[in-house]
């Protein structure tokens, strides 16, 4: 398994008590597969994604990424793990307005110590993979919402992550563009062999995922696939 969550419990302070955000959650996501996590607002989806991304440490339980347990890792070790093993696609692209599409990706690789030439080569490869080879020199204001989200996805893959975590990628897109983005994530999961977790409210385009799980009141349960 490339991503494994075992008996994850996460609580937050709530006055004199604690609120349970995740309750004994278990999830296995194999390499090259796509898992969709659905559920209503406030159910625990965002908390699950944050734990999987090692941005939040659970009260109890183990997060294992590419065979390595994150238990006991220092803040610096977790930062290094995220840089090399985890790609995160945030709900809003948050692209830097002064950079071109290619430069948005190149910055990620250069932070990891790659040479500018290698970074540009990889950036152009990924832009081609997401269908934006002809948009490499354009800045965010020159791109559509769907194109900006595609740059966002390509940027998350820049350092060849083992795990890809995607947060509500279609929330700001219309039905057609949303479907195209979900198709793209599915294709890239298989091509790049990532263990992908997709958090979404939109259940209408999930026919191609490998498994679906629903979060309700902090508990995760598998759902039947419909083809």
């Amino acid at each position: 398994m490339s991503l494994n969550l075992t008996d994850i419990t996460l609580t937050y302070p709530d006055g004199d008590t604690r609120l349970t955000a995740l309750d004994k959650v278990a999830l296995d996501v194999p390499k090259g597969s796509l898992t969709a996590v659905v559920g209503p607002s406030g159910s625990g989806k965002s908390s699950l994604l944050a734990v999987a991304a090692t941005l939040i440490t659970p009260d109890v339980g183990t997060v294992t990424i590419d065979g390595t347990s994150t238990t006991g890792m220092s803040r610096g070790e977790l930062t290094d793990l995220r840089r090399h093993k985890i790609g995160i696609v945030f709900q809003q692209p948050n692209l830097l307005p002064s950079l071109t599409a290619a430069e948005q990706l190149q910055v990620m690789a250069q932070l990891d110590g790659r040479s500018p030439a290698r970074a540009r080569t990889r950036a152009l490869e990924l832009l081609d993979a997401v269908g934006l080879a002809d948009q490499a020199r354009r800045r965010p204001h020159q791109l559509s919402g769907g194109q900006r989200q595609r740059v966002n996805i390509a940027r998350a893959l820049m350092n060849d992550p083992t795990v890809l975590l995607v947060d509500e990628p279609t929330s700001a897109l219309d039905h057609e563009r949303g479907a195209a983005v979900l198709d793209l994530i599915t294709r890239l999961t298989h091509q790049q062999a990532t263990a992908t977790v997709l958090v979404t409210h939109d259940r209408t385009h999930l026919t191609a995922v490998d498994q679906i799980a629903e979060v309700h009141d902090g508990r995760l349960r598998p759902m039947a696939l419909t083809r």
Side-chain angles (χ1 to χ4, degrees):
M1 299 294 178
S2 287
L3 174 64
N4 177 271
L5 307 182
T6 305
D7 293 330
I8 298 293
T9 295
L10 175 68
T11 64
Y12 295 111
D14 185 26
D16 294 332
T17 62
R18 295 188 72 84
L19 177 68
T20 300
L22 297 173
D23 187 6
K24 298 179 182 176
V25 165
L27 180 66
D28 292 321
V29 185
K31 177 181 178 181
S33 72
L34 173 59
T35 294
V37 176
V38 299
S41 296
S43 61
K45 299 190 308 298
S46 295
S47 294
L48 186 151
L49 210 64
V51 168
T54 73
L55 296 172
I56 296 177
T57 300
D59 301 39
V60 178
T62 305
V63 178
T64 303
I65 294 175
D66 202 21
T68 300
S69 170
T70 63
T71 301
M73 282 189 174
S74 67
R75 185 175 299 179
E77 288 171 332
L78 289 173
T79 298
D80 191 59
L81 179 75
R82 283 192 294 273
R83 183 181 299 125
H84 293 99
K85 297 286 186 178
I86 303 173
I88 305 174
V89 179
F90 295 102
Q91 187 171 344
Q92 299 298 326
N94 295 321
L95 302 179
L96 297 171
S98 62
L99 299 185
T100 66
E103 289 167 345
Q104 307 282 345
L105 277 63
Q106 288 172 245
V107 165
M108 299 298 296
Q110 288 170 8
L111 287 173
D112 195 39
R114 296 192 196 184
S115 71
R118 287 181 60 202
R120 181 162 181 80
T121 297
R122 176 62 174 159
L124 294 177
E125 287 174 353
L126 282 171
L127 288 176
D128 183 51
V130 300
L132 293 177
D134 59 344
Q135 306 294 320
R137 295 177 180 271
R138 290 183 176 268
R139 290 178 168 78
H141 73 277
Q142 299 172 304
L143 301 172
S144 69
Q147 288 173 329
R148 288 193 292 272
Q149 191 60 284
R150 285 170 178 261
V151 174
N152 190 20
I153 294 167
R155 181 176 59 183
L157 292 168
M158 190 63 186
N159 289 337
D160 301 310
T162 299
V163 172
L164 181 64
L165 305 173
V166 188
D167 186 17
E168 298 283 3
T170 64
S171 60
L173 303 176
D174 61 31
H175 181 82
E176 183 177 353
R177 288 184 175 88
V181 164
L182 289 178
D183 286 344
L184 174 64
I185 291 169
T186 302
R187 176 170 60 80
L188 290 174
T189 293
H190 298 146
Q191 287 181 351
Q192 305 289 325
T194 58
T196 301
V197 178
L198 167 70
V199 166
T200 182
H201 283 95
D202 184 1
R203 305 188 187 201
T204 58
H205 303 296
L206 300 182
T207 56
V209 303
D210 297 289
Q211 60 179 335
I212 304 176
E214 181 178 34
V215 184
H216 187 72
D217 291 336
R219 296 195 171 216
L220 190 71
R221 64 180 183 86
M223 296 180 63
L225 289 171
T226 56
R227 300 298 189 187

